[in-house]
Amino acid sequence: MADQVMPNAENVNDNANSVATNAKSVSEEDAKKAEEFKDKANEFFKNQDYNQAITFYTQAIDLNPTIAAYYGNRSFAYLRTECFGYALNDATAALKYDPKYIKAYYRRASANMALGKFKLALKDFETVVKVCPGDKDAQKKYSECGKIVKMNAFARAIAVDDNKSIADSLEIASMTIEDDYSGPCLDNGKVTQKFVQELMDTFRDQKGLHKKFAYQILLDVKKLFQEQPSLVDITVPDGAKFTVCGDIHGQYYDLLNIFKINGQPSESNPYLFNGDFVDRGSFSVECIFTLFSFKLLYPNHFFMSRGNHESYTMNQMYGFEGEVKHKFTAKMADLFTEVFNWLPLCHCINGKVLVMHGGLFKDDSVTLDDIRKCDRNKQPPEEGIMCELLWSDPQPQCGISESKRGTGSQFGPDVTKRFLQRNKLDYVIRSHEVKNKGYEIAHDGKCITVFSAPNYCDTMGNQGAFITLKGGDLTPKYTSFDAVPHPQVKAMQYASSLFGLF
């Protein structure tokens, strides 16, 4: 548990009276009503209805905005709904009203960890252990966070001293294949239809791919992605079918189910997978090698966009790095980072439908040509075109708002309308958010979300979906589907040990 520095620290039923009410600005009646809202919020929190809890914590804050515990509790609820930007703001607000409120330091550290801001998280953990030196849980989190900060600093130092890539240092020819290996083999170093089918069957049966073939796939797909622009134009002939899938997040058996429902990828059945192939689900290795193999098999009929989870920091926290190290090697985890850096940022179908993982931009003047010119061979920055393509979300109200995630922004229907008009587009498709039916139509039908990981993290109960279009009118058709059984390996199996915070 993350919050054991005080008795019952994870219990959201905080004593709101730990911070004195500002009697000059809050009436006794409002203070009493705020406590009632807080109590309702706590009940919803205990029942894991975090959105309703947030609603009532917000009402309590509106009536009595000087109570640190209200912000601290709402911060905790935001953490559970992965609104890390909002959680960060609330934890900071709680500390404004009570600088000694230890749980707020935990909340803020949690949010910063989730956002990959390890140095800031470490600073808050340090505060906690100074106040509560006997707390073993706090000491553990402080130690683990410190290790990540040191490891990242060391990695940066190595990168400065040695610019040679992992891909350039590999000697695949010297890798031997053991006599007892019975898995799929590349044909003269190349992916074939037979190989892909055997690979999917092997992974389905929880068996592995030899590292020699895994490394070869990564080298070949990296070269292929390097040859592609940041914005890839796709042509779908009149009447031809094209499928867009959203987040997969390491849910391999649900990926196989998509192919069962909609047919396997082929030149006559092209696909676009719109980012977040890995992390959270504990079969991310199986997902990514299957997708990369299809990319190599059908380079002009199988497409992949980068998501916010195709990045070093996310992989470090949310499980993919740990999974690759467990199933292969640390060197391969580093090679994946190089490959992910070359994934295209978005795709444009017939010059009319733009598909990106996250969303649109604060800057109203961004054009498709600006996206084409975007330098993507790097880790996602904290602002700008690349950041927003990977991280932003739509909102129902007009204008631009601060991101609930702490990165990117939230954009309204007016922003979408102007972007489409400026670039002569019909609508946009994006992913990045769980939806109950696996999809959502917003902004007067001009902003569509598709999410393809049903029962996300084995807990959400949502359906997944994919979208099929036909060349010509490009009218979207939605297919929702339920989760299928998978082996008893829990989601987040390989995630950072610091995820006890969330």
Side-chain angles (χ1 to χ4, degrees), residues 137-201:
D137 185 73
Q139 289 285 355
K140 179 182 177 182
K141 296 299 189 295
Y142 177 59
S143 175
E144 290 295 318
C145 188
K147 288 177 184 178
I148 292 177
V149 170
K150 290 177 181 177
M151 183 172 62
N152 288 350
F154 180 71
R156 285 193 297 271
I158 295 258
V160 170
D161 293 338
D162 183 7
N163 290 321
K164 189 175 181 180
S165 73
I166 298 296
D168 294 336
S169 69
L170 287 173
E171 296 181 2
I172 293 180
S174 66
M175 297 180 186
T176 58
I177 300 174
E178 296 77 11
D179 291 339
D180 61 351
Y181 176 69
S182 59
C185 299
L186 296 174
D187 187 352
N188 292 319
K190 300 298 179 184
V191 169
T192 62
Q193 191 170 9
K194 178 175 180 286
F195 171 84
V196 177
Q197 186 59 58
E198 290 181 355
L199 180 71
M200 290 192 293
D201 293 342

